[in-house]
Amino acid sequence: MEWAFGLVLLVAVAVALAAGARRLGVGEPFVLTVAGVIGSYLPFVPEIDVPPELVLLGLLPPLLYTTAVRTSLIDFRPKKMSITLLSVGLVLFTAFSVGAVVYWMLPVPFSAAVAIGAVVAPPDAVAATAVARRVGMPRGIVTLLEGESLFNDATALVALRTAVAAMAGSITIWQAGASFLGAAGGGALIGVAAALVLIFLRRRITDPVLDTSVTLLAPWVAYLPAEAIHASGVIGVVTCGLILGHEAPRWQSAASRIAEHTNWRTIQFILESAVFLLIGLQVRHIVDDAWHSDLPHTTLVLTCAAVLATVVVVRPIWVFPATFFSWAVEGKRQGKPKPHWTGPAVVSWAGMRGVVTLAAALLLPLDTPDLSVLILLAVVVVAGTLLLQGLSLPMLVRVLRLRGPSRAEDLLQEANLLQQATSAGLEALQANIVPETPPEVVDLLRGRVARRASSAWELLGRSESQRVTPSGEYRRLRLVMLAAEREVVLRVRDSGTIDQEVLQAVLANLDLEESTIDRIAEAEDDDGTPLRAPVTGGCEHLREAPCVRVPDHPDACTECLEEGLVWVHLRMCLECGHVACCDSSPGNHATKHFNNTGHPVMRSVEPGESWRWCYLDELLG
C-alpha cells in the first residue's frame, strides 16, 4: 500500500510541477530536476533507489517509441549522415574522451573508465527537444536533435555492454567491434519484423479500443525480443516506431490514429515528468556514498569538474567538422548551400543528459572499482548539463537570432496543401456520382469541403472591413448549437426516462462533431482580432500583378548564398522577378526585398504552389 501511495504522489507532484513550468515558460527538465534535488534533502522524503531495469524496460521503450512514431522518415533521410555521425560517432568519441580523463585521474581500469564514458555520452532526447520546441528553433535543427536522440542511446548501451565485458577480460577488440555491429543490425531486423507483425494484426482491427491496446504493446514487442538475442532493443523500438508512424495513414483508421496520438502524448507527458523528478530525488544518497568513499575529496571534486568539462567541450569539437563534412558529402551534391556556423553552435550546446545516463550507471557491476564515485560522475554530468546548457540554450538561440518556423508561412503551406487535397476530393466526387445520387447530397459534400478549404485560407492576413468570416461564424454558431443540444440531452438523462446506452450514443455523436470543429480561437491571432477570408477582387495590386513571370534565379536565394545561410522556401517578386527566401528562413529576404523596394506582390516558386501575396493589403490571391 505504501509504494502505491508513493507512486501516485510522485506522478501527481511531477505533473503539477511540469504544468507550472509550462505556465511560467521555464524548462520542465530543469524545474523537475531541481525540485527533486531539493526533495531529496527533505527529512520526510524517503531515500529513492530506482532499479535500472525499471528505466531500461519500463520507461525507455515507451519514451523512444512515442518519439519515433512521430518522426518523419522523409525529413530523416536527407540528414541520415549527420544523424549517424552524431548518434554513433559522437557517442563513441565522447565515451573514449571521458574514459581517458577518468583513467588519468582515478585508480580504475581503462575498461571501467570507458564504461563510465559510455554512460555519460548520450544526450537526452526529452531535454533537448523540449527546449528546442519551446524556444522556436529552426525545424532542421529540431529534426537533427530528434534523430540523434533516437539512436544515441543504442550506441551508448551497446558500448557499455562491450566495456563491461572487457572489464571481465572476456572480449577482444575485434570481438567488441563484431558485437557492436551485430547488436545494431540485429536490433534493426527485429524492429522491422515487429513492425510487419503489428501492421498485419492492426490492418484487421477496426475497433479503436482494440487497436490502441495493441499499440500500447508495440514498444515491448520490439524491445524484448531484441534484448533476448543480445541485440539492441533501443534500435528495435526506434525502427519499429519509424515504420509504424510512416505507414499508419495508409492502413490505420482515422479514429484509431486520433486515439493513439492522444494516448501516447499523455503517456509521454507523465513519463517525462516523472523521469526528471526521479533524477533529482536520487541525488542525495548518491552524493553521500561517493563523499564517504576512500577517494580524497579534492580528487573527487576535480574529477567531477573535469568530466563535466570534457562532456561539454568534446561535443562542439565533433559537431562542427561533422556538420561541414556531411554537407560536403551529401548536401553539396544535392545543391544545398553551405551550413551557417550558428546551426552547429546550437547543436553543440544542446547536449543535456537525462535518465538513461543514470540508469546506465546503475548497470555497472557491483565489483567495479570506485563504483560510487563513477555513479556520482554520471549524476554531476546530468545535473551540470541540465543546469548549464538547459538554462542558457534559449538565450543562445536568441543571441544568434535563429528563427523558428513562421506561423504565416506554415499557414500558407497548410492552406495550399489542403486546397490540392480538396481539388482531388471534388474530382473523386464527380467521378463517383451516379444517376441515383440525390443532388442535395452532392451539394452538401461540395459545401463541406469548400468550407474546410476556406477556413484554412481565412487564417491568413487581416481585414478591417470584414471582421467575421463565413467558416468562423459557422464554427461559432455550431458550437453554440452543440452546447444547447448537450444541455437538453443531460436534462433528459437526469430525468431517468431514457436508457443509459442510448444517452451515451447520442452524447458520443455530439462529442465527435465538436472535436472535429476548429475552435474560433485558432482563427484569431494573439490580440484576438478575427482574421478574414482572402478576397483578391478588392486588391488592385493583385489584379495588376502578372500571374506568371520568369524568375532571375529560379532555384536559389542569392542573398542566402552570399551570406552563407540556408533557406526553407523560395518566393518571387512579380514586379522584378527577384527570388528570395521566406519568413521561416533565417535571412527573411523576401520581406526585406519588399521593405527595400516597395514591390507589393510576390508569389511562391515552390513546386505545385501558385498562390500570390500582397504585402501592402495583406491579401492572398
Side-chain angles (χ1 to χ4, degrees):
M1 189 66 181
E2 246 179 67
W3 67 266
F5 177 77
L7 180 62
V8 171
L9 185 62
L10 172 73
V11 173
V13 171
V15 170
L17 288 171
R22 285 188 177 185
R23 191 173 186 85
L24 296 174
V26 184
E28 297 166 36
F30 166 74
V31 171
L32 290 162
T33 304
V34 170
V37 172
I38 295 172
S40 69
Y41 283 91
L42 297 177
F44 55 84
V45 176
E47 181 178 307
I48 293 181
D49 279 313
V50 180
E53 292 80 8
L54 173 64
V55 175
L56 296 178
L57 293 178
L59 299 180
L60 187 58
L63 284 175
L64 286 171
Y65 179 82
T66 191
T67 302
V69 81
R70 291 185 293 107
T71 299
S72 169
L73 274 177
I74 305 302
D75 294 338
F76 184 87
R77 287 170 186 163
K79 297 180 179 295
K80 57 183 179 296
M81 176 166 287
S82 299
I83 291 172
T84 301
L85 289 174
L86 291 178
S87 60
V88 178
L90 177 56
V91 168
L92 296 178
F93 180 58
T94 305
F96 281 97
S97 299
V98 172
V101 172
V102 172
Y103 181 68
W104 175 54
M105 301 191 72
L106 296 180
V108 296
F110 184 69
S111 55
V114 174
I116 193 62
V119 165
V120 302
D124 181 74
V126 177
T129 54
V131 174
R133 294 187 184 281
R134 181 168 57 86
V135 301
M137 288 187 194
R139 285 204 178 98
I141 294 179
V142 177
T143 301
L144 188 62
L145 293 175
E146 286 183 339
E148 175 195 8
S149 65
L150 285 174
F151 292 100
N152 59 11
D153 291 336
T155 305
L157 293 174
V158 172
L160 174 61
R161 181 189 302 167
T162 305
V164 169
M167 289 167 59
S170 59
I171 192 170
T172 66
I173 187 171
W174 300 108
Q175 291 172 323
S179 174
F180 186 90
L181 294 176
L189 290 175
I190 293 293
V192 172
L196 293 177
V197 170
L198 289 169
I199 290 175
F200 175 80
L201 292 174
R202 294 170 68 183
R203 277 183 183 274
R204 288 152 180 79
I205 298 175
T206 57
D207 186 349
V209 175
L210 294 177
D211 188 67
T212 302
S213 302
V214 173
T215 192
L216 292 177
L217 300 175
W220 293 277
V221 169
Y223 187 88
L224 294 176
E227 290 294 320
I229 64 171
H230 302 291
S232 172
V234 172
I235 291 183
V237 172
V238 170
T239 304
C240 178
L242 286 171
I243 294 174
L244 291 178
H246 184 70
E247 295 297 330
R250 298 183 184 278
W251 53 265
Q252 193 178 16
S253 68
S256 295
R257 287 197 301 273
I258 293 172
E260 180 180 7
H261 177 72
T262 303
N263 287 327
W264 277 113
R265 282 191 63 189
T266 304
I267 292 170
Q268 182 182 23
F269 175 71
I270 293 175
L271 292 183
E272 288 175 358
S273 302
V275 155
F276 285 104
L277 187 60
L278 285 172
I279 289 175
L281 289 172
Q282 296 180 86
V283 166
R284 179 181 179 180
H285 74 86
I286 291 175
V287 172
D288 288 344
D289 291 344
W291 195 254
H292 293 96
S293 65
D294 297 331
L295 200 67
H297 291 171
T298 303
T299 303
L300 179 63
V301 172
L302 290 176
T303 304
C304 289
V307 169
L308 177 59
T310 303
V311 167
V312 172
V313 169
V314 298
R315 187 169 173 86
I317 291 176
W318 180 274
V319 166
F320 274 91
T323 299
F324 293 108
F325 175 76
S326 298
W327 171 78
V329 174
E330 281 187 332
K332 190 175 182 179
R333 178 168 45 85
Q334 297 169 359
K336 295 182 179 179
K338 190 175 182 180
H340 196 259
W341 67 269
T342 53
V346 171
V347 173
S348 299
W349 200 243
M352 293 80 78
R353 270 58 176 179
V355 69
V356 174
T357 291
L358 275 186
L362 299 176
L363 291 175
L364 292 171
L366 295 177
D367 59 352
T368 303
D370 289 316
L371 177 61
S372 60
V373 175
L374 297 181
I375 295 176
L376 177 62
L377 294 179
V379 172
V380 169
V381 169
V382 172
T385 53
L386 282 174
L387 293 175
L388 178 64
Q389 296 177 319
L391 286 179
S392 58
L393 184 58
M395 185 184 303
L396 177 64
V397 173
R398 287 192 293 269
V399 169
L400 297 179
R401 298 181 179 179
L402 287 175
R403 297 172 55 88
S406 166
R407 179 173 179 268
E409 286 289 337
D410 284 351
L411 291 174
L412 283 170
Q413 298 293 318
E414 178 184 337
N416 184 70
L417 180 59
L418 192 56
Q419 187 66 53
Q420 295 179 48
T422 298
S423 299
L426 290 174
E427 290 179 6
L429 171 64
Q430 189 64 36
N432 287 275
I433 294 175
V434 296
E436 295 80 13
T437 303
E440 58 271 19
V441 172
V442 177
D443 293 339
L444 179 64
L445 289 170
R446 284 176 175 159
R448 185 181 183 89
V449 296
R451 185 167 57 247
R452 185 188 62 187
S454 296
S455 66
W457 291 111
E458 287 164 6
L459 297 179
L460 297 162
R462 178 191 303 281
S463 174
E464 297 297 329
S465 60
Q466 189 173 355
R467 291 298 186 184
V468 178
T469 64
S471 60
E473 192 68 356
Y474 170 87
R475 286 191 296 269
R476 182 182 72 83
L477 293 175
R478 187 59 188 131
L479 287 173
V480 172
M481 293 169 63
L482 285 169
E485 293 167 12
R486 184 177 289 104
E487 186 62 32
V488 170
V489 173
L490 292 177
R491 282 204 302 268
V492 173
R493 179 200 64 182
D494 295 339
S495 69
T497 59
I498 298 293
D499 205 30
Q500 179 65 16
E501 290 188 7
V502 175
L503 286 166
Q504 288 181 342
V506 173
L507 285 173
N509 285 330
L510 297 179
D511 291 342
L512 181 61
E513 183 177 358
E514 183 175 341
S515 69
T516 61
I517 296 177
D518 294 329
R519 302 290 181 175
I520 296 177
E522 295 176 358
E524 298 179 351
D525 62 3
D526 294 338
D527 64 2
T529 307
L531 303 176
R532 59 93 185 97
V535 184
T536 60
C539 177
E540 59 178 327
H541 310 102
L542 286 171
R543 286 199 306 268
E544 296 173 358
C547 293
V548 179
R549 190 183 185 97
V550 178
D552 52 2
H553 294 87
D555 58 355
C557 173
T558 54
E559 288 96 335
C560 282
L561 293 176
E562 292 171 358
E563 299 173 20
L565 301 178
V566 181
W567 61 81
V568 179
H569 299 291
L570 295 176
R571 310 292 182 233
M572 178 180 62
C573 174
L574 286 178
E575 187 158 329
C576 66
H578 179 72
V579 174
C581 60
C582 65
D583 285 352
S584 289
S585 304
N588 197 13
H589 290 123
T591 300
K592 290 179 180 177
H593 175 75
F594 160 70
N595 292 331
N596 293 331
T597 64
H599 296 168
V601 181
M602 65 84 168
R603 64 157 290 171
S604 171
V605 291
E606 295 297 321
E609 297 184 3
S610 58
W611 52 264
R612 301 177 300 158
W613 176 259
C614 176
Y615 283 105
L616 291 175
D617 296 325
E618 293 188 341
L619 283 174
L620 192 78

